[in-house]
Amino acid sequence: MKFVWPPLMAAMAERAKTIADGLAAAERGKHDLELAEKRAAEILRQVKKRRPKLLLPAKNVLLK
């Protein structure tokens, strides 16, 4: 037991740390994705708001 138990416990502790690190990385990724989606939605709102001003010069050229 005294020869098997310490390496077994060390391996289990390392595996638990690896799993915890993976879960933390997944949470960070989820948070980053939420921030990116909010930023994309805000940019889309801004573009939709400015769209008439941006398209006006092109519309004038096409109507001539």
Side-chain angles (χ1 to χ4, degrees):
M1 255 325 236
K2 76 178 189 177
F3 296 111
V4 175
W5 196 253
L8 183 61
M9 291 304 293
M12 289 173 53
E14 186 174 331
R15 178 69 178 147
K17 183 184 180 312
T18 302
I19 292 170
D21 290 346
L23 291 173
E27 281 296 317
R28 282 191 305 273
K30 184 178 176 182
H31 178 69
D32 290 346
L33 177 61
E34 289 172 357
L35 290 177
E37 287 174 344
K38 287 178 184 177
R39 180 153 165 67
E42 179 60 31
I43 289 171
L44 190 57
R45 268 193 298 279
Q46 289 175 358
V47 168
K48 285 181 179 179
K49 183 178 174 183
R50 293 179 49 202
R51 180 174 41 193
K53 293 177 188 174
L54 295 172
L55 294 179
L56 187 60
K59 185 178 179 182
N60 290 337
V61 169
L62 291 175
L63 293 177
K64 285 184 181 181

